[in-house]
Amino acid sequence: DCRDWPYRLDDDQYIHRQRVQYFERVPLSDVIDEAFRAVCQWHPKGTLVDNVKWAKLSRKMQFLPNVKNAQHEIDMAFVRHNRDRKLDRQRFHDIFEDIASTQHPSLQPRDALTKVVWSSIVMLPDVNAMMWRESKEMAIHEEALRVCAQIRIATYVRKVLQYAKFKDAKRSAITIAKHVRRFLSR
């Protein structure tokens, strides 16, 4: 029984699912890596994030909204983590962990990082597209596993039913043949 309507979140039998619940399963490191690639593609394109791109990203994402003197804190995070006034991929990860611990000092580092990533860089168009793509792949994979299981179960049931019909037909044919041979032997 496959139903498309209504879309109930607690019902596992509907075909078309929203992929929002898969967003949380995308690893944070992949999200930050995609943000790094997206920021590197800003003008001028490069393989590292310089202070201009970092300033543009921080203005766009409004990091540390509830921290007094937020721009100074963001600039200082860049100063602490840069090398030759540029950030590579690992330093980009480190700077986000630093910002997360500054913005949410009472949370565990992983929870703070999750909160910062979900409230900011997920909204970058390239990162958002990657999130939807990854979520779609996860949803398709889960749906494929469910459909494969349904097919295996249906195949097994059909096999059992067909074998029962075959045995019944075979038994009937043997009985008819036995009676015909008995009748012809008289």
Side-chain angles (χ1 to χ4, degrees):
D1 181 24
C2 294
R3 290 171 276 158
D4 289 338
W5 182 261
Y7 297 110
R8 292 185 298 200
L9 294 177
D10 60 339
D11 188 5
D12 286 336
Q13 297 298 318
Y14 60 88
I15 294 174
H16 305 291
R17 289 183 157 192
Q18 292 186 1
R19 294 183 297 267
V20 177
Q21 67 266 24
Y22 297 99
F23 268 36
E24 295 155 356
R25 296 185 195 173
V26 177
L28 288 178
S29 60
D30 291 353
V31 176
I32 296 172
D33 286 346
E34 185 64 31
F36 179 79
R37 280 192 287 280
V39 172
C40 285
Q41 295 304 309
W42 291 351
H43 181 75
K45 291 184 180 183
T47 57
L48 300 173
V49 175
D50 59 6
N51 58 348
V52 175
K53 291 178 183 177
W54 175 251
K56 181 178 176 183
L57 177 67
S58 64
R59 276 194 312 273
K60 195 173 198 175
M61 296 295 111
Q62 297 177 355
F63 297 134
L64 307 176
N66 56 353
V67 174
K68 187 176 181 182
N69 205 358
Q71 196 58 43
H72 173 72
E73 289 291 331
I74 291 169
D75 291 341
M76 289 310 295
F78 184 82
V79 168
R80 282 191 298 272
H81 294 283
N82 75 46
R83 189 165 85 181
D84 299 329
R85 288 192 259 177
K86 296 193 187 271
L87 298 172
D88 60 2
R89 186 179 309 271
Q90 182 56 44
R91 293 177 188 278
F92 196 73
H93 279 264
D94 294 342
I95 201 168
F96 271 103
E97 290 172 6
D98 191 13
I99 287 175
S101 65
T102 303
Q103 182 161 355
H104 305 288
S106 62
L107 294 176
Q108 294 293 324
R110 186 75 176 163
D111 296 336
L113 182 62
T114 302
K115 227 173 183 180
V116 167
V117 166
W118 282 103
S119 66
S120 60
I121 63 174
V122 171
M123 297 307 153
L124 287 172
D126 292 339
V127 176
N128 201 300
M130 183 274 299
M131 294 287 289
W132 278 106
R133 188 172 51 251
E134 292 288 323
S135 298
K136 182 169 70 173
E137 287 176 12
M138 285 185 229
I140 288 171
H141 184 264
E142 188 174 303
E143 185 69 22
L145 288 176
R146 187 167 52 248
V147 168
C148 287
Q150 289 171 346
I151 290 171
R152 284 193 303 270
I153 292 169
T155 302
Y156 181 75
V157 168
R158 278 195 303 271
K159 179 185 98 169
V160 167
L161 293 176
Q162 287 295 84
Y163 189 66
K165 282 183 184 178
F166 169 75
K167 282 176 55 176
D168 188 44
K170 181 179 170 186
R171 199 172 23 255
S172 298
I174 291 172
T175 304
I176 291 172
K178 179 175 81 173
H179 288 299
V180 166
R181 278 195 305 272
R182 190 180 293 160
F183 178 74
L184 293 177
S185 68
R186 291 188 192 167

